[in-house]
Amino acid sequence: MNMKQKIWRFTRPVLRPVLGVGVLSLFCLLRVFPIKKNKVIACVSGGRRYDDNQKYILEELHKLRPDADIVWVKEPKFEYELPSWIRPVRWRSPRYFYEYVTAKIWTNNCTEPDYYSKRKGQLYVETWHGGLGIKKVAGDIVGKYAVDRKLTLYLKNASDMADVYISNSDHLSKIYRRAFRYHGPIWKCGYPKNDMLVNGNPEEGKRARKELGIPENRNILLYAPTWRHRFAMDHHINMEVYNLDLQRLKKLLMEKFGGEWMMLIRFHPSLRLYAKGYQEAHPDVKDVTDYQDMQRLLMATDVMISDYSSCIFDAALRRIPCFTYATDFDQYKYEERGVYYEMEELPFPYAKNNDEMEHNVKAFDMGDYLKRWDAFTVRMGLNETGHAAKDIAEKMADFMDGKLVTWNNDYPIQN
């Protein structure tokens, strides 16, 4: 740990409440400006990218209301393009706070900070981003990274601002209640980002292939592992946990499924710099970490592999073969943050090393796999409608018009 990191570690508990008071005061001062009834502000992962549920909701809202003033929070360190009808605002700039105070609707995928202050007449739609995810979140986290009392209060205060949480399953709805201390409306309408996967639009897959320069006659394996919280806490990144032998796997896939295969890897955004080094060491593997639209990428994917990322559940909606590969499950379970399932509970064949992965590919049976996936979705109470984005956008449009908005005919929200 360098000196800068040490200083931040010891000053953060003091600075956070000071920052909170300052931001709260700013929110109060900016209330002299009126709420603009056609303005929406969206934030995804602190402005890191243009994707997730917010992207699809706002695209539907733009179709319904081309005149809507849509603002997207953007972190300058991450380069990506936005549609011409979206206005970017720099994350935590003075303008950013103004946009929040004057927007009619807020939407986020990671919960808003508890020291933000929502006004009467504003609507806050929280979607989260994990779906049926394996790793425990928020107040459910156990072990040395468990949420402390202060952060538990933060989660409650933040969730108290939300007017509705969007869910795609009974599993996720229960997490909202327990882990986020949320007691308001939950709309189990499905995840907007998964509409594309449920409806199975092949043109989206073709577009991803074209943008990535992948021929139509190549099958695609996508390996998309997730981040480890201990990397940040210990200030050390161990890339050995991502030691899946993709060249060995390529030969296995050719033998099992036939055809020519392209091997893709998509790291967590926090590993972008390490992804470049991985690409240099594995020139036959295509790095797609910076490809923005994960769902479009999944539409082009023929076989999916992950460890603890929720994206594997999204991929399974397409009913394609999915496998899990995790060398550090016990450490992740007991030391990292905890898990909602044992790996063997999942419908995806699980491997702890490359030899086990070889066995799983050779023994894979599509019919048995789909039976296990269908049974799992029933047990989790999964509900993916294929039109969640449009449904939510219509609610937003109604709210802009001053209409009474209800979620599942419950919990009315008025201006």
Side-chain angles (χ1 to χ4, degrees), residues 93-108:
S93 64
R95 182 80 190 186
Y96 161 93
F97 293 107
Y98 167 79
E99 301 290 4
Y100 260 95
V101 173
T102 59
K104 185 69 172 175
I105 300 173
W106 303 357
T107 182
N108 201 325

Side-chain angles (χ1 to χ4, degrees), residues 319-336:
R319 307 179 76 77
I320 63 172
C322 295
F323 300 83
T324 49
Y325 180 81
T327 63
D328 60 344
F329 179 70
D330 287 339
Q331 184 178 9
Y332 198 91
K333 176 181 177 180
Y334 295 110
E335 300 178 18
E336 180 82 11

